[in-house]
Amino acid sequence: MHATNTKTQWGQFLPLVTVFFFWGFVAASNDILIPVFKEAFHLSQEQSQLVSLAFYAAYTVGSLIYLAVSRVIGVDLVNKLGYKNGLALGLLISAAGTLLFLPAANTGSFPLMLSGLFIVGLGFSLQQTAANPLAIALGSSETGSQRLTLAGGVNNFGTTIGPLIVSFAIFGAPTSMSRQLSMESVKFPYLMLGAAFLLVAIMLKFSSLPDRPAIQANEDTGHASGKQSALQFPQLVMGMLAIFVYVGVEVSTASNLPAYMETKLGLQTKDVAPFISLYWASLMIGRWTGAVDAFDLQGGLGKLLKFLAPYLAFSVFLLVNAIAQHELSHFYVYAAIVLILIAADIKSQGNPAKMLGIFSLLGIAGLVIGMSTTGMVSVYAFTSIGLFCSTLWPCIFTLAISGLGKHTGQGSNYLIMMIMGGGIVSWLQGFVADKIGIQMSYLVGVVCFAYLAFYAWKVQGILYAQGIKLGKTSTAAH
């Protein structure tokens, strides 16, 4: 009976992970749209980063709308709608956003393009609110981290292939000599994406997913006594800024990479896609490595998988790029850089504060090397930031909500709101790039990692003072 129930739960989980795939696909595909729009609309680097700003700011606006509606109706919106209906509604909102690409392409309107991405992001905000707790609820609480880890892997598969598919839709095969930019070619992949949103919304609506699962809220108020709001916890307030700068440096590093490679290496826009794919695949490599801990494997098998998992993820990257007919010889040396990730992961011993500190310092090192070198060495240094960002989301999230007790849900919502850092930091780096050059603009990322290293050090003392012990953390996707 138990085996049948488990099978049913995983059967319910499979259609849910499709939503996680969409988040990764669209977020990474934006990095291809940025150089395309920059050329087509004759934008500065600062103006081109409005693509990231429009998309990621939608998470915050969506979260604020969610809070306002919940307050007006007197009950949590997703609890009112049901989790399955909330997911379907979020997908419909995102589908509506993709429809704006049709008039935007026909009229050559950059503001309409941004509006479309903004509405897609609004839908994602609602999907995030419903999908993460639903994934945890589809089974025992002990295996919740495993389901989130699997969802994170699917998310990163979307980030890996998204740039390749969108680039192919816009430019054709890599061997094509044509590089004529046309807004007609931009609208096609997003209209197809909208159709996919609709299809999955229908599938979810009629699936066996529970609409109101028994989600076990953390009502332990041992550490929350006397606190009236999640914002009274310093680990959360500092963690909100940490999420802001983490998502910021993760997104801005990739979104400014096309401009760097075109300016400093002389590459054409259509040739940048595999390197963007490598950056986002680096997050997949790191998260698959961290996912090994979620299964609590003992002895030699766990150690062996620490080495096999990242190279399996790297093989996925090579495979999809081979299918896309990209030259692979540029990427083989990257296998050596993955060893740094493995060593850092082992050194951290699964402690979220220790991992956050080590990986933040490695992120600073990667950016400094990228700014002080040239050619492919600098490119590999910048793409390695994906490796070092890969595990930071669950580390920060775990540290920020530790000890919040009954305020955990409220604190989680505040953290999701800070995803807007992906847009604001990207725009800020674009602004700096127009002033001091694209390569040196990565100083913005150095400042972000410096704060994350400080938070990793500071939060340990805060939690220790509250009597909270740090354990291992899971590797989920944002």
PDB file of all heavy atoms in Angstrom, residues 260-272:
ATOM      1  N   TYR A 260      30.355  41.607 -23.261  1.00  0.00           N
ATOM      2  CA  TYR A 260      31.793  41.460 -23.048  1.00  0.00           C
ATOM      3  C   TYR A 260      32.433  40.675 -24.189  1.00  0.00           C
ATOM      4  O   TYR A 260      33.477  41.068 -24.727  1.00  0.00           O
ATOM      5  CB  TYR A 260      32.063  40.751 -21.718  1.00  0.00           C
ATOM      6  CG  TYR A 260      33.516  40.389 -21.545  1.00  0.00           C
ATOM      7  CD1 TYR A 260      34.468  41.373 -21.266  1.00  0.00           C
ATOM      8  CD2 TYR A 260      33.953  39.081 -21.711  1.00  0.00           C
ATOM      9  CE1 TYR A 260      35.814  41.053 -21.139  1.00  0.00           C
ATOM     10  CE2 TYR A 260      35.298  38.753 -21.590  1.00  0.00           C
ATOM     11  CZ  TYR A 260      36.220  39.742 -21.301  1.00  0.00           C
ATOM     12  OH  TYR A 260      37.552  39.432 -21.191  1.00  0.00           O
ATOM     13  N   MET A 261      31.797  39.573 -24.581  1.00  0.00           N
ATOM     14  CA  MET A 261      32.384  38.716 -25.616  1.00  0.00           C
ATOM     15  C   MET A 261      32.349  39.380 -26.992  1.00  0.00           C
ATOM     16  O   MET A 261      33.250  39.173 -27.819  1.00  0.00           O
ATOM     17  CB  MET A 261      31.671  37.365 -25.638  1.00  0.00           C
ATOM     18  CG  MET A 261      31.820  36.584 -24.345  1.00  0.00           C
ATOM     19  SD  MET A 261      31.155  34.907 -24.437  1.00  0.00           S
ATOM     20  CE  MET A 261      32.358  34.150 -25.525  1.00  0.00           C
ATOM     21  N   GLU A 262      31.324  40.173 -27.242  1.00  0.00           N
ATOM     22  CA  GLU A 262      31.258  40.891 -28.518  1.00  0.00           C
ATOM     23  C   GLU A 262      32.280  42.020 -28.565  1.00  0.00           C
ATOM     24  O   GLU A 262      32.953  42.230 -29.581  1.00  0.00           O
ATOM     25  CB  GLU A 262      29.840  41.446 -28.728  1.00  0.00           C
ATOM     26  CG  GLU A 262      28.783  40.369 -28.947  1.00  0.00           C
ATOM     27  CD  GLU A 262      27.371  40.914 -28.847  1.00  0.00           C
ATOM     28  OE1 GLU A 262      27.216  42.156 -28.892  1.00  0.00           O
ATOM     29  OE2 GLU A 262      26.434  40.115 -28.701  1.00  0.00           O
ATOM     30  N   THR A 263      32.429  42.726 -27.442  1.00  0.00           N
ATOM     31  CA  THR A 263      33.322  43.886 -27.398  1.00  0.00           C
ATOM     32  C   THR A 263      34.794  43.479 -27.340  1.00  0.00           C
ATOM     33  O   THR A 263      35.627  44.021 -28.065  1.00  0.00           O
ATOM     34  CB  THR A 263      32.995  44.766 -26.173  1.00  0.00           C
ATOM     35  OG1 THR A 263      31.634  45.165 -26.237  1.00  0.00           O
ATOM     36  CG2 THR A 263      33.876  45.999 -26.143  1.00  0.00           C
ATOM     37  N   LYS A 264      35.109  42.509 -26.491  1.00  0.00           N
ATOM     38  CA  LYS A 264      36.509  42.159 -26.231  1.00  0.00           C
ATOM     39  C   LYS A 264      37.031  41.001 -27.071  1.00  0.00           C
ATOM     40  O   LYS A 264      38.230  40.909 -27.325  1.00  0.00           O
ATOM     41  CB  LYS A 264      36.685  41.823 -24.745  1.00  0.00           C
ATOM     42  CG  LYS A 264      36.351  42.974 -23.805  1.00  0.00           C
ATOM     43  CD  LYS A 264      37.296  44.159 -24.017  1.00  0.00           C
ATOM     44  CE  LYS A 264      37.021  45.277 -23.015  1.00  0.00           C
ATOM     45  NZ  LYS A 264      37.941  46.424 -23.181  1.00  0.00           N
ATOM     46  N   LEU A 265      36.128  40.097 -27.491  1.00  0.00           N
ATOM     47  CA  LEU A 265      36.564  38.937 -28.255  1.00  0.00           C
ATOM     48  C   LEU A 265      36.117  38.989 -29.707  1.00  0.00           C
ATOM     49  O   LEU A 265      36.504  38.139 -30.507  1.00  0.00           O
ATOM     50  CB  LEU A 265      36.056  37.638 -27.610  1.00  0.00           C
ATOM     51  CG  LEU A 265      36.890  37.077 -26.447  1.00  0.00           C
ATOM     52  CD1 LEU A 265      36.784  37.959 -25.211  1.00  0.00           C
ATOM     53  CD2 LEU A 265      36.457  35.661 -26.112  1.00  0.00           C
ATOM     54  N   GLY A 266      35.273  39.961 -30.051  1.00  0.00           N
ATOM     55  CA  GLY A 266      34.832  40.121 -31.427  1.00  0.00           C
ATOM     56  C   GLY A 266      33.849  39.076 -31.902  1.00  0.00           C
ATOM     57  O   GLY A 266      33.690  38.879 -33.111  1.00  0.00           O
ATOM     58  N   LEU A 267      33.169  38.392 -30.984  1.00  0.00           N
ATOM     59  CA  LEU A 267      32.185  37.390 -31.387  1.00  0.00           C
ATOM     60  C   LEU A 267      30.897  38.051 -31.843  1.00  0.00           C
ATOM     61  O   LEU A 267      30.565  39.157 -31.413  1.00  0.00           O
ATOM     62  CB  LEU A 267      31.880  36.436 -30.234  1.00  0.00           C
ATOM     63  CG  LEU A 267      32.774  35.183 -30.138  1.00  0.00           C
ATOM     64  CD1 LEU A 267      34.183  35.557 -29.750  1.00  0.00           C
ATOM     65  CD2 LEU A 267      32.171  34.182 -29.152  1.00  0.00           C
ATOM     66  N   GLN A 268      30.174  37.361 -32.721  1.00  0.00           N
ATOM     67  CA  GLN A 268      28.862  37.836 -33.140  1.00  0.00           C
ATOM     68  C   GLN A 268      27.822  37.364 -32.133  1.00  0.00           C
ATOM     69  O   GLN A 268      28.024  36.396 -31.395  1.00  0.00           O
ATOM     70  CB  GLN A 268      28.516  37.302 -34.534  1.00  0.00           C
ATOM     71  CG  GLN A 268      29.448  37.806 -35.629  1.00  0.00           C
ATOM     72  CD  GLN A 268      29.051  37.282 -37.002  1.00  0.00           C
ATOM     73  OE1 GLN A 268      28.196  36.396 -37.112  1.00  0.00           O
ATOM     74  NE2 GLN A 268      29.677  37.806 -38.038  1.00  0.00           N
ATOM     75  N   THR A 269      26.700  38.056 -32.107  1.00  0.00           N
ATOM     76  CA  THR A 269      25.637  37.735 -31.151  1.00  0.00           C
ATOM     77  C   THR A 269      25.211  36.275 -31.251  1.00  0.00           C
ATOM     78  O   THR A 269      25.000  35.611 -30.233  1.00  0.00           O
ATOM     79  CB  THR A 269      24.411  38.643 -31.401  1.00  0.00           C
ATOM     80  OG1 THR A 269      24.810  40.004 -31.256  1.00  0.00           O
ATOM     81  CG2 THR A 269      23.304  38.327 -30.411  1.00  0.00           C
ATOM     82  N   LYS A 270      25.121  35.753 -32.462  1.00  0.00           N
ATOM     83  CA  LYS A 270      24.637  34.381 -32.642  1.00  0.00           C
ATOM     84  C   LYS A 270      25.631  33.349 -32.128  1.00  0.00           C
ATOM     85  O   LYS A 270      25.267  32.196 -31.905  1.00  0.00           O
ATOM     86  CB  LYS A 270      24.337  34.117 -34.122  1.00  0.00           C
ATOM     87  CG  LYS A 270      25.575  34.129 -35.018  1.00  0.00           C
ATOM     88  CD  LYS A 270      25.214  33.714 -36.429  1.00  0.00           C
ATOM     89  CE  LYS A 270      26.460  33.628 -37.321  1.00  0.00           C
ATOM     90  NZ  LYS A 270      26.128  33.132 -38.660  1.00  0.00           N
ATOM     91  N   ASP A 271      26.907  33.742 -31.927  1.00  0.00           N
ATOM     92  CA  ASP A 271      27.931  32.802 -31.479  1.00  0.00           C
ATOM     93  C   ASP A 271      28.078  32.757 -29.968  1.00  0.00           C
ATOM     94  O   ASP A 271      28.856  31.963 -29.437  1.00  0.00           O
ATOM     95  CB  ASP A 271      29.283  33.168 -32.109  1.00  0.00           C
ATOM     96  CG  ASP A 271      29.250  33.097 -33.627  1.00  0.00           C
ATOM     97  OD1 ASP A 271      28.605  32.160 -34.141  1.00  0.00           O
ATOM     98  OD2 ASP A 271      29.856  33.964 -34.281  1.00  0.00           O
ATOM     99  N   VAL A 272      27.352  33.598 -29.260  1.00  0.00           N
ATOM    100  CA  VAL A 272      27.491  33.706 -27.803  1.00  0.00           C
ATOM    101  C   VAL A 272      26.661  32.648 -27.082  1.00  0.00           C
ATOM    102  O   VAL A 272      26.986  32.264 -25.949  1.00  0.00           O
ATOM    103  CB  VAL A 272      27.079  35.123 -27.342  1.00  0.00           C
ATOM    104  CG1 VAL A 272      27.049  35.223 -25.827  1.00  0.00           C
ATOM    105  CG2 VAL A 272      28.022  36.169 -27.915  1.00  0.00           C
TER     106      VAL A 272
END
